[in-house]
Structure formats: C-alpha cells, structure tokens
C-alpha cells in the first residue's frame, strides 16, 4: 500500500485494544476491522481510529505528542504523552494495534512518521518529504560533529554541481540506467542518498513505477524543487528527508540505486548505509546499481612526489626562527606529511607491477565486513627502481540485465572527481626486475566517517630484508590538484600492459 498524497490517508486495521496507563490491562478491544485516518485539523496532524462508516472517531491522537512503537512484525503500540497537568502518568493513552500483515504495518509506520513531521501550511500538509528524529545505528557509530559537517557539505548546491559536472560519473550512471531500462520499467526504486535527485530522475526516465529518494541533508529541499520542475517525472518520485537507517517506506523496492563511493571507494562510509538500505528495503534477489565494487592497488615509483612531501618538513629544521628552535617538531612534522594519502591523477607508467584487486559484492557483503578491510599484497616488480608506496583506485559494476557497465577511476582512464589515491612511504624500498614484493593493506574504520590506513611493504634484495610501513588517515588527504593531471600516451605507444591485464579480468566477475 502506498502512502496517499491527499489531505487524508486511510488504513484498515485488523484490531485495536486500548492499554491502561496504570497497568497492562486493556479497557476495551475492537476485534472487527477498524479504520485509521491520518489528517490535519486545527493547524496540526491527527490520527483517528473508528469505524469506516462513521464520521466521528472513537479515539483521536495529536501526532505532535504521540509516538509509535513496533512490538512485532504486525503489531504496534501508539501512545500519547501525558499533559502538563497529568505528569504522574507516563502517558495519557495507549493503543495496541494489530495489522493484517507486516507490509501493512510498514506502510502505517511510514505514514505515521510522514504525518507527524510534515509542516502544515494553511491547513494542508506538505506531502513530499519526511524527517525521522529517532536515534539510529548511524548515530551510534558516527561522531555527531562529523555527521554535521558531512550533511552540511552535501547540502550545498556547489558541491552537487561538482559531482554533476563529472561527466564520466554522471554519464556512466545515465547510460547504466537507460541502457538497462528493462530493470527499471514498472519497478519500485529506492535512491539511497539521493542528493540533488538526479539518479531518481534517471530512474523515472527509464520507466520506474515509483522512486523513493532518501536524502538526509538539506539538499532534500533542492531535490524537491528540481523534481517538481520536471512535471512529467515528478508524480512518480517521492523525496524522503532522513537517514536510510531511520526512515520507513510503504513498500519494498525492486531495485536500489545510489552513488555511495568515496575516495578509495570506502571513504565517508556510505557503503554501509547502502548495505543497510539493501537489508531494510530491497526485495529478495532485487538489483543494486552499482552491484560490485573493486579496490585496485599496485606499487609505484615517483621520486618527484616523494621529494615534494619530504621537503615540506624542511621548514621545521630552522634553529633560529625569530629566536626559536623549531627542530624538536621536525620529526613529528615529517611523519605528519607522510600520514596524508595523496589524491591526484598520476601517470600509469609510474606503476612497477601489475595491480591486484579486492572485490566487494554489495549484494551479499555484511555491513560489519566494511568496518575493517584486510588486503594481502603480493607483487612482482617489473623494473629496477625505488618503490615509494602503493597506488590505489577503484571501479564499480552496474550489472544490468541488458548491458553491464563499469565506472572506473583507473590511472590513464578519463579523470573523475575521485582521481586516484597514493599512500607514500617515508622509507622507499629498492627492488630489481622479477623481485617479489609482499605486504598488507588494512583499512580500519573510525567514527569520523573514514578509515585509518595501515600499509606495510617488504622486499628482499640479496640477503637484505627491507620493510617499510606507514599509518595514514583517509579523512585528511593531500589534494595535489595543482599538479599536471593529463597523462596522455604517445600515439606510437602501446596501452599500459599493467592496466591491460586488469581490464582483461572484467569478464571474470
């Protein structure tokens, strides 16, 4: 059952029973079907219970002071808070509600939250959008200050414009949806973290029956405006303001669509929300766009980058800076600069070994598996050089029924707003051709919506074992955008063989 967008929403309840405020006994019980009506009156929203044929209600709740609790798959409890004059009671009235099935229960809860939080203008509620204020799992694992900054950032149009103008990103999403129209036609779609609503509009263009666009930031208000400005599509899109961990939907989705990728795929930890949305909203065997993500890593050699970072700490070598010796902080500054992952576009010819991949299947991975990602490393060097660290990038697959399509951020490919990422080690390693390089890359999530990166690389030259390790914060990268970003290959040069091996593996997924 879909939530009505009219001035009144109506549900048929299997039975209700009034619960006494002083005990668990019920004062009355209606076992015959009862009509529950959501509506507005006197400037605020109300919930009324009564017989469908009756104009008056047996029981009425002021939704401003009411709460709804789920007791079971098809049973809930609605309570009204005590008045100021009756504070000795925990609540003034409680109703136990029995639904026909779990789907009816879910639809009722969605309507309750929507009517409870809608703004009333001239006696009519604004129908498009709902806010949930309850504490959720998101609040438990993410610092409030980080979440505030995160939603503030994505609530600004200039940042949405930056993503929309990434034509590789936006164009790939559009192609993935439109080319796989059969997956969307007549289906219910949930857009997770909808932002401006562009993906919801794509899904509607592809013939979706209805799209629920969930967005927690203030961008939800802009999304409503953008969607309303496209009237041929807007009737099939509902914007819901809230976190996917908190909102309720009236129906299950046939397909999820989202852009949950951050730097190195996992930054911002939105992949976890994407997986939670899958578990909460998606029908069994429903589709996810994107379907699979892969993190690719390879050792690189870049003497210029290494010296650029090391030279930043020279400032702290001064012993007479306005009469002050800065050298006690020189080592800490040096380590601090190497704790920043470098985000830029680099020449793929800097790679010194074929990349290896870590696959994340969004359709099956558990949310908890994203808390810590452990990637064993084993490479074979293709040159005699110094290794300065590990280069990283990602791609995602939209596994459509008609045309599977990849979105890649690989070096040498058209540049996206994600660029690539490099973890630079403070101590380079010397390797020879054919030399084995081993190590481990660990990504450990933290409450600032990002990850701590632990990197270790080892190589044995002769009888000498070299090991270099680093600890980096993905939350605080060094954006090296002032450097040249275009690395076009010479016309007579063959495509990079190291990347070619990776492209050949696409069909093996």
């Amino acid at each position: 059952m879909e939530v009505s967008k009219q001035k009144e929403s109506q549900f048929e309840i299997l039975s209700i029973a009034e619960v006494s405020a002083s005990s668990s006994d019920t004062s009355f019980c209606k076992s015959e079907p009862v009509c529950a009506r959501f509506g507005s009156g006197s400037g605020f929203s109300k919930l009324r219970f009564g017989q469908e044929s009756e104009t008056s209600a047996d029981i009425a709740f002021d939704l401003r002071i009411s709460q709804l609790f789920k007791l079971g798959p098809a049973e809930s409890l609605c309570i009204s808070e005590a008045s100021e004059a009756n504070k000795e009671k925990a609540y003034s009235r409680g109703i136990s509600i029995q639904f026909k099935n779990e789907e009816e229960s879910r639809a009722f809860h969605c309507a309750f939250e929507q009517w409870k939080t809608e703004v009333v203008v001239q006696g009519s509620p604004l129908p498009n959008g709902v806010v949930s204020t309850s504490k959720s799992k998101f609040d438990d694992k993410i610092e409030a200050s980080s979440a505030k900054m995160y939603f503030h950032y994505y609530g600004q149009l200039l940042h949405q414009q930056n993503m929309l103008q990434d034509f590789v990103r936006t164009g790939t999403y559009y192609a993935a949806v439109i080319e796989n129209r059969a997956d969307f036609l007549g289906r219910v779609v949930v857009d997770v973290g909808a932002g401006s609503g562009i993906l919801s509009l794509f899904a509607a263009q592809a013939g979706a029956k209805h799209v629920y666009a969930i967005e927690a930031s203030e961008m939800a208000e802009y999304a409503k405006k953008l969607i309303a400005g496209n009237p041929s599509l807007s009737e099939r899109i509902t914007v819901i303001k809230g976190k996917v961990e908190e909102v309720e939907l009236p129906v299950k989705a046939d397909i999820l669509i989202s852009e949950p990728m951050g730097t190195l795929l996992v930054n911002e930890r939105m992949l976890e929300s994407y997986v939670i949305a899958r578990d909460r909203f998606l029908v069994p065997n429903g589709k996810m766009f994107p379907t699979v993500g892969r993190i690719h890593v390879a050792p690189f050699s870049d003497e210029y980058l290494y010296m650029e970072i090391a030279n930043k700490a020279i400032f702290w070598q001064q012993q007479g800076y306005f009469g002050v010796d800065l050298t006690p902080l020189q080592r800490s500054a040096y380590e601090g600069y190497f704790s920043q992952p470098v985000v830029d576009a680099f020449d793929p010819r800097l790679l010194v070994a074929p990349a290896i991949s870590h696959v994340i299947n969004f359709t099956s991975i558990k949310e908890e598996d994203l808390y810590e990602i452990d990637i064993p490393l084993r490479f074979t060097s293709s040159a005699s050089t110094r290794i300065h660290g590990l280069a990283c990038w990602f791609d995602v697959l939209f596994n459509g029924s008609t045309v599977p399509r990849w979105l890649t951020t690989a070096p040498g490919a058209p540049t996206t707003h994600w660029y690539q990422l490099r973890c630079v080690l403070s101590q380079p390693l010397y390797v020879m051709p054919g030399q084995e390089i081993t190590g481990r890359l660990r990504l450990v999530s933290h409450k600032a919506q990002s990850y701590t990166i632990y990197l270790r690389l080892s190589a044995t030259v002769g009888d000498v074992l070299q090991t270099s390790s680093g600890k980096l914060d993905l939350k605080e990268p060094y954006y090296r955008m002032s450097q040249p970003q275009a690395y076009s290959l010479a016309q007579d040069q063959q495509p990079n063989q190291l990347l070619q091996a990776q492209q050949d593996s696409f069909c093996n997924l």
Side-chain angles (χ1 to χ4, degrees):
M1 175 184 294
E2 290 192 11
V3 179
S4 173
K5 292 187 178 182
Q6 304 303 317
K7 292 186 178 181
E8 184 174 278
S9 297
Q10 184 170 299
F11 294 83
E12 186 177 281
I13 306 299
L14 191 63
S15 66
I16 62 172
E18 185 172 21
V19 180
S20 169
S22 59
S23 71
S24 59
D25 297 333
T26 58
S27 57
F28 78 87
C29 176
K30 286 185 177 289
S31 57
E32 67 273 11
V34 177
C35 182
R37 298 183 181 91
F38 292 96
S40 59
S42 303
F44 57 89
S45 298
K46 293 181 179 179
L47 169 61
R48 300 175 177 86
F49 293 94
Q51 298 301 312
E52 187 170 3
S53 59
E54 297 176 357
T55 57
S56 61
D58 294 328
I59 304 172
F61 285 87
D62 179 349
L63 292 185
R64 297 173 301 175
I65 56 171
S66 300
Q67 298 183 61
L68 185 65
F69 301 94
K70 188 179 286 291
L71 302 180
E75 183 180 4
S76 296
L77 175 66
C78 183
I79 64 172
S80 179
E81 298 174 2
S83 64
E84 291 294 328
N86 200 21
K87 283 297 184 182
E88 70 274 8
K89 293 184 179 181
Y91 58 89
S92 62
R93 169 164 262 182
I95 297 293
S96 174
I97 309 170
Q98 190 69 42
F99 300 96
K100 295 178 181 178
N101 49 52
E102 186 175 0
E103 183 178 347
E104 290 288 319
S105 171
R106 188 183 303 111
F108 185 86
H109 273 257
C110 180
F112 185 93
E113 286 299 317
Q114 189 169 12
W115 279 92
K116 181 179 174 67
T117 57
E118 280 174 345
V119 179
V120 176
V121 178
Q122 295 180 348
S124 299
L126 299 177
N128 201 10
V130 57
V131 180
S132 177
T133 57
S134 60
K135 188 174 178 63
S136 69
K137 191 173 185 180
F138 179 92
D139 301 311
D140 292 332
K141 68 183 181 181
I142 300 299
E143 292 177 352
S145 58
S146 176
K148 182 178 180 180
M149 291 299 297
Y150 175 76
F151 292 124
H152 173 73
Y153 179 91
Y154 285 107
Q156 300 179 60
L157 280 175
L158 69 158
H159 298 304
Q160 294 292 329
Q161 180 177 335
N162 179 50
M163 292 184 289
L164 290 173
Q165 288 182 322
D166 180 346
F167 295 111
V168 176
R169 164 202 180 265
T170 307
T172 303
Y173 267 92
Y174 180 77
V177 173
I178 300 303
E179 291 174 348
N180 292 285
R181 188 182 299 269
D183 293 324
F184 291 84
L185 188 62
R187 306 295 172 83
V188 174
V189 179
V190 170
D191 183 356
V192 181
S196 65
I198 190 69
L199 301 186
S200 296
L201 290 163
F202 290 171
Q205 287 183 50
K209 176 183 178 182
H210 201 87
V211 184
Y212 294 95
I214 305 174
E215 173 57 40
S217 78
E218 292 304 312
M219 186 52 56
E221 303 303 320
Y222 292 109
K224 294 178 196 176
K225 291 182 180 180
L226 180 63
I227 290 167
N230 291 266
S232 63
L233 305 172
S234 61
E235 290 186 357
R236 290 182 285 121
I237 303 175
T238 299
V239 178
I240 301 176
K241 186 179 180 184
K243 304 183 185 75
V244 296
E245 293 86 353
E246 300 171 3
V247 302
E248 297 288 342
L249 296 181
V251 293
K252 288 285 189 178
D254 301 300
I255 183 168
L256 297 187
I257 189 168
S258 181
E259 198 263 71
M261 301 89 73
T263 307
L264 193 57
L265 183 62
V266 296
N267 188 38
E268 299 177 346
R269 297 184 65 179
M270 191 181 164
L271 284 179
E272 295 167 36
S273 296
Y274 190 38
V275 170
I276 289 172
R278 177 201 69 194
D279 295 339
R280 296 194 65 209
F281 305 137
L282 192 62
V283 298
N285 300 315
K287 281 192 169 290
M288 298 178 72
F289 272 46
T291 317
V292 172
R294 301 188 305 181
I295 298 173
H296 304 278
V297 296
F300 73 92
S301 179
D302 191 340
E303 199 74 40
Y304 183 87
L305 174 61
Y306 176 79
M307 294 306 299
E308 178 185 331
I309 295 175
N311 287 341
K312 289 182 177 183
I314 290 179
F315 170 83
W316 298 96
Q317 292 180 359
Q318 299 179 80
Q319 295 178 320
Y321 184 75
F322 292 96
V324 177
D325 183 0
L326 300 181
T327 57
L329 298 181
Q330 193 273 333
R331 185 63 194 175
S332 296
Y334 185 83
E335 293 173 351
Y337 287 123
F338 278 98
S339 72
Q340 291 184 283
V342 177
V343 176
D344 69 349
F346 66 83
D347 190 330
R349 289 169 291 187
L350 297 175
L351 302 177
V352 297
I356 64 172
S357 304
H358 176 78
V359 178
I360 300 176
N361 189 330
F362 304 137
T363 66
S364 59
I365 193 170
K366 296 179 180 178
E367 176 202 351
E368 292 76 13
D369 293 338
L370 293 167
Y371 293 172
E372 182 172 337
I373 300 172
D374 197 345
I375 307 175
L377 306 176
R378 186 175 297 274
F379 308 98
T380 301
S381 174
S382 60
S384 176
T385 187
R386 289 212 308 174
I387 292 177
H388 294 103
L390 196 69
C392 312
W393 61 96
F394 71 87
D395 52 32
V396 293
L397 169 66
F398 302 91
N399 194 22
S401 301
T402 307
V403 183
R405 182 172 283 273
W406 288 89
L407 169 59
T408 182
T409 64
T415 304
T416 70
H417 77 282
W418 291 286
Y419 296 91
Q420 292 97 42
L421 180 136
R422 286 184 284 176
C423 300
V424 185
L425 294 169
S426 60
Q427 295 296 325
L429 302 177
Y430 293 88
V431 294
M432 302 294 290
Q435 183 77 47
E436 185 176 69
I437 307 160
T438 60
R440 188 166 296 276
L441 176 67
R442 288 179 60 232
L443 308 175
V444 181
S445 63
H446 57 64
K447 287 194 170 185
Q449 288 177 277
S450 193
Y451 286 77
T452 301
I453 302 173
Y454 297 92
L455 172 63
R456 188 187 76 251
L457 289 178
S458 299
T460 301
V461 177
D463 297 329
V464 179
L465 173 64
Q466 308 169 80
T467 297
S468 184
S469 60
K471 177 182 176 182
L472 306 94
D473 189 355
L474 187 57
K475 179 79 172 183
E476 302 291 340
Y478 164 37
Y479 290 100
R480 194 171 173 249
M481 302 312 172
S482 60
Q483 302 301 316
Q485 298 169 12
Y487 295 102
S488 59
L489 301 179
Q491 292 184 356
D492 59 348
Q493 185 178 3
Q494 294 297 317
N496 188 282
Q497 295 180 353
L498 303 182
L499 290 176
Q500 191 64 44
Q502 170 197 324
Q503 301 296 329
D504 293 341
S505 68
F506 281 5
C507 60
N508 294 329
L509 285 180

